[in-house]
Amino acid sequence: MSIYPVEDFKQYWPENPSNLKDAVENYARGLRNLSTTVLGLVAEGLGLHQNYFDGDLSGEPMASHINFYPPCPDPSLTLGLGKHCDPGLITLLLQGNVSGLQILHNDEWIAVDPVPDAIVVNYGHQMEIVSNGMLKGVNHRAITNAEQSRMSIATFIQPSKEGLIAPAEALHSEKNQPIYKRFHYREYFGNYVANLGDKEKSAEPFLVKCA
């Protein structure tokens, strides 16, 4: 559900329980502040202006997905969520107390075990594109648990649909030519949905072709 800007969406949130709207509003404002801080630090780390990711690059209304995974007697028979890379800039994940998140690293699935009260930050595919491959959008999945249910809340920071996406010009050099073409985020997102979140297939039309 969309949660930020709060004033645009609060009217659509459920009325019950009676404290839900206040809780969601506080959570939304806190995560928006966190995302601004994280993106500012990432920009500085890349050598860009601290406010580089402001505006259209993070301008889509902030949305959260609440995922519930019931216990599965035999987790080998099903995944909670299959392999994919999130399409946006970053994803802020509150994963609860039950392990289930795994990331793909060097062709191996590695568990990201929960840390109490921590928010996991995943780079999305647009971060990889804007950084011209210096940072990598992470392929990940969620597995089920034989004994315990699991709930997670994923909040997505994405470019506005009409926002122009391209590798940051300040990162271009003779040895670091742009890998990606300039495109509107809606073009990428449509291709992402059509390819069911497959990172390589989603990016293919936007890659710079070598002569």
Side-chain angles (χ1 to χ4, degrees):
M1 75 179 174
S2 295
I3 62 173
Y4 193 92
V6 170
E7 295 76 12
D8 292 349
F9 301 109
K10 190 172 183 179
Q11 60 185 311
Y12 303 113
W13 301 342
E15 298 291 339
N16 292 306
S18 59
N19 64 342
L20 176 66
K21 287 191 175 185
D22 287 342
V24 173
E25 179 174 352
N26 289 336
Y27 187 72
R29 293 191 188 281
L31 282 197
R32 191 64 191 185
N33 289 336
L34 175 62
S35 71
T36 299
T37 299
V38 169
L39 289 174
L41 292 170
V42 171
E44 287 189 27
L46 289 169
L48 304 173
H49 190 277
Q50 184 182 30
N51 298 327
Y52 187 85
F53 292 107
D54 291 357
D56 281 348
L57 282 177
S58 59
E60 189 71 5
M62 197 169 72
S64 288
H65 292 179
I66 302 173
N67 301 305
F68 177 74
Y69 307 95
C72 178
D74 186 353
S76 67
L77 295 179
T78 187
L79 286 172
L81 193 63
K83 172 189 169 185
H84 68 287
C85 177
D86 294 334
L89 272 180
I90 57 173
T91 301
L92 305 175
L93 178 69
L94 181 64
Q95 62 170 334
N97 299 317
V98 179
S99 184
L101 174 65
Q102 295 185 334
I103 63 169
L104 189 62
H105 180 68
N106 292 335
D107 296 323
E108 292 186 14
W109 288 107
I110 299 172
V112 181
D113 291 327
V115 175
D117 301 321
I119 300 288
V120 176
V121 180
N122 279 343
Y123 289 148
H125 203 175
Q126 301 315 297
M127 183 63 78
E128 181 169 334
I129 292 169
V130 172
S131 70
N132 205 37
M134 292 175 66
L135 303 175
K136 302 298 183 184
V138 61
N139 278 313
H140 57 285
R141 68 181 185 181
I143 62 172
T144 54
N145 188 288
E147 300 177 353
Q148 295 177 283
S149 61
R150 176 176 178 265
M151 181 178 291
S152 67
I153 305 175
T155 301
F156 303 97
I157 309 300
Q158 304 183 81
S160 59
K161 289 296 192 294
E162 295 303 318
L164 280 171
I165 311 298
E169 290 186 8
L171 302 180
H172 298 180
S173 69
E174 185 176 343
K175 295 182 179 179
N176 189 35
Q177 294 295 315
I179 302 171
Y180 301 94
K181 306 173 186 175
R182 184 181 298 270
F183 57 87
H184 290 280
Y185 182 57
R186 60 174 165 75
E187 299 175 273
Y188 171 90
F189 193 78
N191 203 45
Y192 176 88
V193 172
N195 286 289
L196 304 177
D198 184 287
K199 181 180 174 182
E200 286 70 29
K201 291 180 180 178
S202 299
E204 200 279 332
F206 310 107
L207 291 169
V208 172
K209 307 296 183 182
C210 296

